[in-house]
Amino acid sequence: MKNALTVDLEDWYHICGVAACADPAGWDAFESRVAQNTDRVLALLRRHGARATFFVLGRIAEREPALVRAVAAEGHEVATHGHIHRRIYEMTPEEFEEDLLRSLDAIGSATGLPVVGHRAPEWSMRPHTLWALEILRRHGILYDSSMVPLTRMGSPGFPVNPGPVPTPSGDIFEFPLTAMRCFGENIPFTGGLALRLTPYFYILSKIRRMNREGLPAMVYFHPWELDPDPPRLPLPPARRFMTGFNLQGAASKLDGLMRHLAFVPVREFVPA
Ligand SMILES: [Zn+2]
């Protein structure tokens, strides 16, 4: 049984909902650490023979095309994470489409390969933004990985398992955030802060149990989570916790999961 491994390829200051990082015009003032951190990700994957999907920010592909080419050259899938890291629910359908097309253009120019996958910044698909799926499908995107089946984020009505979702332009395959059932709630445990908080052996045994039931899990992380000395922004306490808690733990947990589980890009789960 194979699982999906995904990396949201963005820099340390691409944080939604923080005024100091919201305007792309100000991004050049921040130290760029994406190349060195992505090198760490590539080395980790190489060590385990794991292949992943990299959801790349269009703006990064524009500024660092050689980095994105290097990712593709190592056999990883390059997909889109939008252009300037805006949440779907903060855009109109027209703005979403424009942002998507800019990212597809930048990523396509960097790699010369078609892009068939999408993940929204901060898992920002909501029941009232499902119009985005039709726009994605119309522009050649075959799968999306932006739905979170949680009460506090996304929607508890979103699918828990991967599968097709109909749109007026044809079906799109959705691979939602992996969650486990606990006390009547869906709880995330395979990426970001949830992975850093959950004990390693618990994550591993939960994924193994899913695999025995014939279900793939999806693990996700960001290059900045492997940065041994990340710059700090003056963030509100909840945000500081989200971005800074137990970063050392992330690297060792990811290393262990890759040692014990087989990982492939999301594209390999999409029916031909
Ligand atoms: Zn992101």
Side-chain angles (χ1 to χ4, degrees):
M1 187 84 204
K2 289 174 175 151
N3 297 287
L5 184 60
T6 67
V7 179
D8 292 357
L9 208 170
E10 62 196 41
D11 216 334
W12 62 277
Y13 52 83
H14 292 125
I15 307 171
C16 293
V18 172
C21 338
D23 184 1
W27 287 352
D28 286 339
F30 295 118
E31 179 193 355
S32 172
R33 297 177 73 85
V34 71
Q36 64 193 72
N37 289 334
T38 302
D39 284 346
R40 291 189 176 95
V41 175
L42 291 173
L44 174 67
L45 301 184
R46 215 179 293 130
R47 208 155 56 234
H48 295 288
R51 286 179 307 115
T53 295
F54 284 68
F55 292 102
V56 175
L57 214 53
R59 163 84 169 217
I60 301 249
E62 223 169 58
R63 298 294 171 101
E64 309 259 3
L67 177 69
V68 179
R69 269 195 297 281
V71 169
E74 297 212 21
H76 304 296
E77 178 189 10
V78 175
T80 176
H81 193 42
H83 198 73
I84 54 166
H85 212 253
R86 288 181 74 189
R87 294 164 171 147
I88 302 182
Y89 57 78
E90 291 173 342
M91 291 187 275
T92 64
E94 293 72 28
E95 288 169 338
F96 173 78
E97 185 169 21
E98 194 201 325
D99 183 83
L100 172 71
L101 291 177
R102 283 181 74 194
S103 78
L104 294 180
D105 194 41
I107 296 166
S109 299
T111 66
L113 299 167
V115 172
V116 299
H118 168 264
R119 171 171 294 151
E122 213 182 56
W123 304 91
S124 54
M125 190 69 79
R126 297 290 182 272
H128 69 278
T129 62
L130 290 173
W131 45 256
L133 295 177
E134 190 278 327
I135 295 172
L136 290 167
R137 189 67 188 80
R138 183 151 36 88
H139 291 293
I141 301 297
L142 302 178
Y143 76 84
D144 174 68
S145 182
S146 312
M147 288 193 189
V148 180
L150 311 181
T151 316
R152 292 205 186 160
M153 248 182 110
S155 165
F158 279 167
V160 175
N161 298 320
V165 176
T167 87
S169 295
D171 284 1
I172 190 165
F173 189 84
E174 177 66 33
F175 201 131
L177 175 70
T178 296
M180 61 180 163
R181 207 66 195 152
C182 192
F183 303 116
E185 291 274 355
N186 293 330
I187 311 281
F189 67 104
T190 57
L193 177 63
L195 177 125
R196 287 181 264 135
L197 280 170
T198 312
Y200 168 71
F201 285 103
Y202 195 76
I203 301 172
L204 181 63
S205 71
K206 234 19 194 178
I207 294 179
R208 281 183 163 152
R209 188 185 307 169
M210 284 181 69
N211 288 172
R212 280 197 298 276
E213 291 166 0
L215 293 168
M218 183 175 57
V219 167
Y220 80 94
F221 64 105
H222 305 84
W224 53 259
E225 289 179 276
L226 300 191
D227 195 330
D229 187 21
R232 296 275 178 223
L233 280 170
L235 296 173
R239 281 274 157 181
R240 200 176 329 129
F241 182 66
M242 248 180 99
T243 55
F245 177 77
N246 192 18
L247 289 176
Q248 303 86 336
S252 66
K253 284 175 187 176
L254 291 164
D255 192 73
L257 292 174
M258 284 181 217
R259 194 167 334 121
H260 291 104
L261 301 167
F263 285 104
V264 295
V266 183
R267 187 178 185 164
E268 299 192 11
F269 294 90
V270 181

